[in-house]
Amino acid sequence: MLFADLVGVAVFAASGATAGVAKRLDLFGVIFVGFVAALGGGIIRDIVIDVVPPLAFADWRYPTVAALVATATFWLHPQIARLRRTVLVLDAAGLGLFTVTGTLKALDAGVPAVGACLIGMLVGIGGGLGRDLLTGEIPVVLRREIYAVAAFAGAVAVVALERAQMHHDVVLLVPAALIFGVRLVAILRRWSAPLPPTAV
Amino acid sequence: MLFADLVGVAVFAASGATAGVAKRLDLFGVIFVGFVAALGGGIIRDIVIDVVPPLAFADWRYPTVAALVATATFWLHPQIARLRRTVLVLDAAGLGLFTVTGTLKALDAGVPAVGACLIGMLVGIGGGLGRDLLTGEIPVVLRREIYAVAAFAGAVAVVALERAQMHHDVVLLVPAALIFGVRLVAILRRWSAPLPPTAV
Amino acid sequence: MLFADLVGVAVFAASGATAGVAKRLDLFGVIFVGFVAALGGGIIRDIVIDVVPPLAFADWRYPTVAALVATATFWLHPQIARLRRTVLVLDAAGLGLFTVTGTLKALDAGVPAVGACLIGMLVGIGGGLGRDLLTGEIPVVLRREIYAVAAFAGAVAVVALERAQMHHDVVLLVPAALIFGVRLVAILRRWSAPLPPTAV
């Protein structure tokens, strides 16, 4: 579980650091954007459900993994660019993991179902939001193919399976796999949410 | 009271969703910006006065109203654009309501007077700030006619009336009407706060 | 100690207000950006270590100093522009102070060492981050010469001296002087963190 969490941190740190490199930030800027992408969603989650200090500050392994991966991305980014497909797949896995654990932690903290789904989704997409705000972009999650919708659907599945009193592993793995699968199909088929009716 | 609060949520959700449509975001992006505009100020308020989980996550009616209004705005936005004057009036009403209830909640939580006025003002303007940051604009509240100043004046009135031990309805309605009125006059007369002395 | 804190608030309020004037914001917008720059880092710190309401709302002197300095900057900004060198020096002093007190407060609240260093650094750089996000810039701290790195090094020094059970004044003043000195040398020599290996 911790291992899975740290894999998610590593993947999102790589995505944030890559965005920083693309904006020609210096080493520290790249690390910082990597941090925000990897840890931002979890920090918001912990503040909202009153886990203080947030895990990202209370457990040294989280920032350390994020810093190491972001630094490695800084030095190796041309290779990582060539691994773009791998990063997209890992990103989908990270989205699934963060959303599911975020929803479960919110439920455990006594947040009602609708709120827990929203919090879970925010944890999944929050890091990417922060990364795009820092680098001066309109957040890609607001524009791109099915991304947050996949996260929200997975969070709803978590609540439904939890209510049905399924085994803990099922509650964790089935929605994570659902999010992962929907994202992969959305990328492959270029699925997108509808645009406003009257184009400019 | 709850009804009035939800009216405020609906109005701000419509303003956020309209901004999202203008930026050509997809359906989810429009809903998300609507959420932030409608619920962002209240979430910050609840975190600052330690009401966790924030009302926006603890009470399903808040996100549901925001999502429905944002979705309706997405499909109907040309009509809403024609209703622009109506939206401005409702926005002024929402600013009044959110500022007053935010100030009162902060006072109830034991925040001193100056801090409560600041928190009330932030609740009123916070949603619009988030909306503009997400859509890549310098927040309009920082540039436009009397907006946050009206909110701050109303928050000061709340504290003064509360200190004078007026009836609860007076504390609520008089400052809300004050903010509403100042905003309407400011829009009609194009009142503006002073600009820096040396123009470029 | 309180006096030193308020000096930091004043310096950062001046830096935020100057950025607001440069973007042609109105009086309120300039004050608001000044607020965020002066108080934003401390508010995040207090939320993360669960001091609620944050000091910026609980103690009227903090927002009052920030508002007065921002208003003065608004009216006097050509003179302040001529004082640019002075502002840079004061900014370095503010960075040192905010980082050190932030790290100490986090340690006192029971945050482990790595997390306390991160929080301290965030308090130091947080106000500038908020200022740049509000005015639509990629945060300068992500791009410029040694800035956050100096803060982080100072935060590490705080933890090391605290662990060595040095006198409280030493724990406070030595790291603050370290950050201050590194910043000044970095400005004078135009030191910069490394850029990504392959330039565009």
Side-chain angles (χ1 to χ4, degrees):
Chain A
M1 176 75 194
L2 175 72
F3 175 75
D5 228 21
L6 291 179
V7 170
V9 167
V11 173
F12 280 120
S15 91
T18 305
V21 167
K23 286 279 172 177
R24 309 288 308 146
L25 304 182
D26 65 21
L27 174 58
F28 174 77
V30 168
I31 293 177
F32 191 80
V33 178
F35 258 64
V36 169
L39 307 174
I43 291 173
I44 294 169
R45 177 199 63 208
D46 290 347
I47 289 174
V48 166
I49 64 177
D50 216 10
V51 173
V52 285
L55 206 56
F57 299 118
D59 184 335
W60 63 271
R61 287 169 295 197
Y62 284 80
T64 306
V65 167
L68 290 178
V69 171
T71 308
T73 305
F74 180 83
W75 295 115
L76 304 172
H77 68 97
Q79 287 83 333
I80 284 181
R82 250 175 275 139
L83 294 173
R84 192 173 162 279
R85 199 164 298 192
T86 314
V87 169
L88 272 177
V89 172
L90 288 173
D91 180 80
L95 180 70
L97 266 159
F98 273 21
T99 303
V100 171
T101 57
T103 309
L104 283 172
K105 286 189 188 190
L107 286 174
D108 286 351
V111 179
V114 174
C117 291
L118 290 175
I119 291 173
M121 185 190 70
L122 280 178
V123 175
I125 71 175
L129 270 177
R131 175 196 65 208
D132 293 341
L133 289 178
L134 281 178
T135 52
E137 302 285 341
I138 295 183
V140 79
V141 62
L142 300 184
R143 295 182 296 176
R144 211 175 23 177
E145 331 91 45
I146 306 299
Y147 191 93
V149 174
F152 192 74
V156 171
V158 169
V159 172
L161 293 170
E162 177 84 7
R163 286 281 164 85
Q165 300 193 306
M166 304 297 281
H167 188 273
H168 198 73
D169 285 354
V170 174
V171 176
L172 198 102
L173 294 178
V174 171
L178 172 72
I179 296 171
F180 182 66
V182 169
R183 268 303 290 156
L184 287 196
V185 175
I187 293 169
L188 287 174
R189 305 224 163 176
R190 301 182 181 278
W191 275 355
S192 188
L195 286 173
T198 51
V200 175
Chain B
M1 176 74 193
L2 174 73
F3 176 75
D5 228 22
L6 291 179
V7 170
V9 166
V11 173
F12 280 121
S15 92
T18 304
V21 167
K23 286 280 173 178
R24 309 287 311 144
L25 304 182
D26 65 20
L27 174 58
F28 174 78
V30 168
I31 292 177
F32 191 80
V33 179
F35 258 63
V36 169
L39 308 174
I43 290 172
I44 294 169
R45 176 199 65 208
D46 290 346
I47 289 173
V48 166
I49 64 176
D50 216 12
V51 172
V52 285
L55 206 56
F57 299 118
D59 184 335
W60 63 271
R61 287 169 296 196
Y62 285 78
T64 306
V65 166
L68 290 178
V69 171
T71 307
T73 305
F74 180 82
W75 294 115
L76 304 172
H77 70 95
Q79 284 84 334
I80 283 180
R82 252 174 272 140
L83 293 174
R84 192 175 161 278
R85 199 164 298 192
T86 315
V87 170
L88 272 178
V89 173
L90 288 173
D91 180 81
L95 180 70
L97 266 159
F98 275 20
T99 303
V100 172
T101 57
T103 310
L104 283 172
K105 286 190 187 190
L107 286 175
D108 286 352
V111 179
V114 174
C117 291
L118 290 175
I119 291 173
M121 185 189 71
L122 280 178
V123 176
I125 71 175
L129 270 177
R131 176 196 65 207
D132 294 342
L133 290 178
L134 281 178
T135 52
E137 303 285 340
I138 295 183
V140 79
V141 63
L142 299 184
R143 293 182 298 175
R144 215 180 13 181
E145 331 89 47
I146 306 298
Y147 190 94
V149 175
F152 191 73
V156 171
V158 169
V159 172
L161 292 171
E162 178 85 7
R163 287 279 163 85
Q165 299 193 306
M166 303 297 282
H167 187 273
H168 199 72
D169 286 354
V170 175
V171 177
L172 198 101
L173 294 178
V174 171
L178 172 73
I179 297 170
F180 182 66
V182 170
R183 267 303 289 155
L184 287 196
V185 175
I187 293 169
L188 287 174
R189 305 221 163 178
R190 300 182 180 279
W191 276 353
S192 187
L195 285 174
T198 51
V200 176
Chain C
M1 175 74 195
L2 175 72
F3 175 74
D5 228 21
L6 290 179
V7 170
V9 167
V11 173
F12 280 120
S15 92
T18 304
V21 167
K23 286 280 172 176
R24 309 287 310 143
L25 304 183
D26 65 21
L27 174 58
F28 174 76
V30 168
I31 293 177
F32 191 79
V33 179
F35 258 64
V36 169
L39 308 174
I43 291 173
I44 294 169
R45 175 200 66 208
D46 290 347
I47 289 174
V48 166
I49 64 176
D50 216 12
V51 173
V52 286
L55 207 55
F57 299 118
D59 184 336
W60 62 271
R61 287 169 296 197
Y62 284 79
T64 305
V65 166
L68 290 179
V69 171
T71 308
T73 305
F74 180 82
W75 294 116
L76 304 172
H77 69 95
Q79 285 82 333
I80 283 181
R82 251 174 274 140
L83 295 172
R84 193 174 161 280
R85 199 164 298 191
T86 315
V87 169
L88 271 178
V89 173
L90 288 173
D91 181 81
L95 181 70
L97 267 159
F98 274 20
T99 303
V100 172
T101 58
T103 309
L104 283 172
K105 286 190 188 191
L107 285 174
D108 286 351
V111 179
V114 175
C117 290
L118 289 175
I119 291 173
M121 185 190 70
L122 279 178
V123 176
I125 71 174
L129 270 177
R131 176 195 66 208
D132 293 343
L133 289 178
L134 281 179
T135 52
E137 303 285 341
I138 294 183
V140 80
V141 63
L142 299 183
R143 294 182 297 176
R144 216 182 11 182
E145 331 89 47
I146 307 297
Y147 190 94
V149 174
F152 191 73
V156 171
V158 169
V159 172
L161 293 171
E162 177 84 7
R163 287 280 163 83
Q165 299 192 306
M166 303 297 282
H167 188 273
H168 199 73
D169 285 353
V170 175
V171 177
L172 199 101
L173 293 178
V174 171
L178 172 72
I179 296 170
F180 182 66
V182 169
R183 267 303 290 156
L184 287 196
V185 174
I187 293 169
L188 287 174
R189 306 223 164 176
R190 299 182 182 279
W191 275 355
S192 188
L195 285 173
T198 51
V200 174

